[in-house]
Amino acid sequence: MKKNLIHKLYNFIIFTPLLLYFGERSYLAYDEGFYALQARWMIEKNNWIIPMWWDSYVLDRTIGIQFLIAQSQKIFGETAFASHIPTTFAAILMLILTFKLHQELLNKKGALFSSLILATTYIWIDFAHLATQDMVFSCLVTLGIYALIKIQNYGHTRYQILFGLWIGLAFMMKTFLVAVPLISFSPYIINKKGILDSKFFWLGLLIGSLPFIFWFFLINGYLEKNIIFLLLDKFNSLSEDNTFTNPVFYYLWNIPINFLPWSIFSIIGLIFNIINNDKKKYILSYFPLIVIILISLFSTKTPYYPLQISSLLAINAYVGIQEILNLKK
């Protein structure tokens, strides 16, 4: 047991230089500085309900990440390092979940390498150091993938609760973007059946939705228009032509570039799992491909939308490397 603990500690130390930075840092425009300022005003004005921008209300988003940053600053001090603690924690948890997913989808051998591949991917390591909600959201989606695999393999009620839990929490982070992984999960859920019939799934969904439910009733007392309609207005503006509108083929080049240096291995792994891995090919290949198709059809396209499938792309990269090595042998 002591040897196992030392081994786990050693594994964590490997990732420490990649995740923790104790030097001076400045917030990056636009989103990171935006959320940091909103968190600061939460503390200064003691307003934990309505997101603000100077003296105006900003009613096109939830307060998920701002609330986490503000709470972190209250506990650890009003510093840039404290602002990044929620993102850092989500990044660490995502690495652990990638390790666990590798063990469930492939085997225990080489699981650490999938986590290392993820941690050395350009887009992932970039957003692991930004005080935004994107890493937290991606971590929650990865948690949902892990819970779904566990339900398939073991069917324990705690994983059914967990699969419901992530949905509500993810909605508090990125609102309607949660529809992308949910739609991508739907063929698998319909095929397996039983998940939506479980009362534990709905219990988890209720628990995960409590932060949004509480915020929903609190903020509506200050508004003339229901917050849901204001969030829908934001979604509609993103679904129309705007600054971030890009062609439908945007992700065909953007994902390979941003997932360097592992992109080519990930593509090989995706293809291999479609052809050879009948039992796991839905999660390993079909799910990330459906996500890519859905975000490609949406008008607004950003480099960080594919972060939600980055764990699976890392595992596929490991598979791709293994297949190349096997061919060489």
Side-chain angles (χ1 to χ4, degrees), residues 275-306:
I275 297 172
N276 297 292
N277 198 340
D278 289 335
K279 292 184 178 179
K280 308 296 182 182
K281 67 181 177 183
Y282 178 83
I283 294 298
L284 280 171
S285 296
Y286 292 161
F287 174 79
L289 289 174
I290 293 172
V291 168
I292 292 170
I293 291 170
L294 290 175
I295 60 178
S296 295
L297 296 175
F298 195 60
S299 178
T300 298
K301 297 177 182 66
T302 67
Y304 51 79
Y305 280 177

Side-chain angles (χ1 to χ4, degrees), residues 88-155:
T88 302
F89 178 80
I92 293 170
L93 181 56
M94 196 168 173
L95 289 174
I96 295 171
L97 287 170
T98 303
F99 182 90
K100 295 291 186 181
L101 274 173
H102 180 114
Q103 291 182 325
E104 295 292 331
L105 291 168
L106 303 178
N107 50 57
K108 292 188 176 182
K109 183 180 179 181
L112 182 62
F113 290 104
S114 287
S115 295
L116 278 170
I117 289 170
L118 179 63
T120 51
T121 301
Y122 165 72
I123 189 70
W124 189 91
I125 197 68
D126 187 23
F127 277 85
H129 291 89
L130 296 181
T132 64
Q133 76 271 57
D134 304 295
M135 184 58 66
V136 180
F137 176 78
S138 301
C139 177
L140 289 169
V141 174
T142 308
L143 182 65
I145 298 169
Y146 177 70
L148 197 61
I149 293 297
K150 282 291 193 178
I151 292 170
Q152 175 193 346
N153 292 343
Y154 307 105

Side-chain angles (χ1 to χ4, degrees), residues 3 63 162 175 181-182 191 207 251 296 308 322:
K3 184 179 180 181
I63 58 165
L162 200 60
T175 61
L182 283 178
N191 182 50
I207 295 171
Y251 289 113
S296 295
Q308 59 192 291
Q322 287 295 104

Side-chain angles (χ1 to χ4, degrees), residues 11-298:
N11 289 344
F12 176 75
I13 290 172
I14 292 174
F15 296 98
T16 303
L18 295 169
L19 294 172
L20 299 179
Y21 176 73
F22 297 98
E24 293 292 328
R25 65 198 304 171
S26 299
Y27 295 115
L28 299 178
Y30 159 76
D31 285 355
E32 193 178 27
F34 182 86
Y35 294 130
L37 270 175
Q38 285 192 318
R40 175 183 169 186
W41 290 324
M42 277 183 167
I43 298 172
E44 290 182 353
K45 300 177 184 295
N46 198 29
N47 172 15
W48 298 82
I49 301 171
I50 307 177
M52 301 188 68
W53 185 245
W54 300 103
D55 293 325
S56 302
Y57 295 151
V58 180
L59 303 172
D60 63 348
R61 66 197 69 204
T62 58
I63 58 165
I65 191 63
Q66 303 94 311
F67 182 86
L68 292 177
I69 292 172
Q71 287 293 334
S72 179
Q73 288 186 335
K74 284 193 71 175
I75 297 170
F76 301 104
E78 295 183 30
T79 64
F81 178 80
S83 298
H84 290 82
I85 288 176
T87 301
T88 302
F89 178 80
I92 293 170
L93 181 56
M94 196 168 173
L95 289 174
I96 295 171
L97 287 170
T98 303
F99 182 90
K100 295 291 186 181
L101 274 173
H102 180 114
Q103 291 182 325
E104 295 292 331
L105 291 168
L106 303 178
N107 50 57
K108 292 188 176 182
K109 183 180 179 181
L112 182 62
F113 290 104
S114 287
S115 295
L116 278 170
I117 289 170
L118 179 63
T120 51
T121 301
Y122 165 72
I123 189 70
W124 189 91
I125 197 68
D126 187 23
F127 277 85
H129 291 89
L130 296 181
T132 64
Q133 76 271 57
D134 304 295
M135 184 58 66
V136 180
F137 176 78
S138 301
C139 177
L140 289 169
V141 174
T142 308
L143 182 65
I145 298 169
Y146 177 70
L148 197 61
I149 293 297
K150 282 291 193 178
I151 292 170
Q152 175 193 346
N153 292 343
Y154 307 105
H156 293 164
T157 56
R158 63 177 177 270
Y159 297 118
Q160 294 171 351
I161 293 173
L162 200 60
F163 186 68
L165 185 73
W166 80 269
I167 300 171
L169 295 176
F171 188 85
M172 192 62 178
M173 285 293 126
K174 296 285 283 186
T175 61
F176 299 107
L177 186 62
V178 74
V180 172
L182 283 178
I183 293 172
S184 303
F185 278 137
S186 58
Y188 184 84
I189 294 172
I190 293 170
N191 182 50
K192 294 299 178 182
K193 300 179 181 180
I195 296 175
L196 298 182
D197 296 331
S198 169
K199 60 184 178 182
F200 296 103
F201 163 75
W202 295 105
L203 175 63
L205 182 61
L206 175 62
I207 295 171
S209 300
L210 285 178
F212 178 80
I213 293 171
F214 286 140
W215 179 70
F216 172 86
F217 284 109
L218 288 171
I219 195 172
N220 275 330
Y222 297 90
L223 306 178
E224 296 180 359
K225 187 177 181 180
N226 191 292
I227 188 63
I228 289 291
F229 294 110
L230 294 169
L231 295 175
L232 279 171
D233 289 342
K234 173 69 172 182
F235 175 78
N236 289 333
S237 69
L238 292 175
S239 62
E240 299 169 352
D241 286 348
N242 59 75
T243 307
F244 300 101
T245 297
N246 282 290
V248 70
F249 55 81
Y250 173 79
Y251 289 113
L252 293 181
W253 64 264
N254 184 267
I255 292 177
I257 289 176
N258 280 313
F259 278 83
L260 288 173
W262 308 108
S263 307
I264 185 66
F265 303 114
S266 188
I267 293 170
I268 293 170
L270 281 166
I271 296 170
F272 175 83
N273 284 312
I274 290 174
I275 297 172
N276 297 292
N277 198 340
D278 289 335
K279 292 184 178 179
K280 308 296 182 182
K281 67 181 177 183
Y282 178 83
I283 294 298
L284 280 171
S285 296
Y286 292 161
F287 174 79
L289 289 174
I290 293 172
V291 168
I292 292 170
I293 291 170
L294 290 175
I295 60 178
S296 295
L297 296 175
F298 195 60

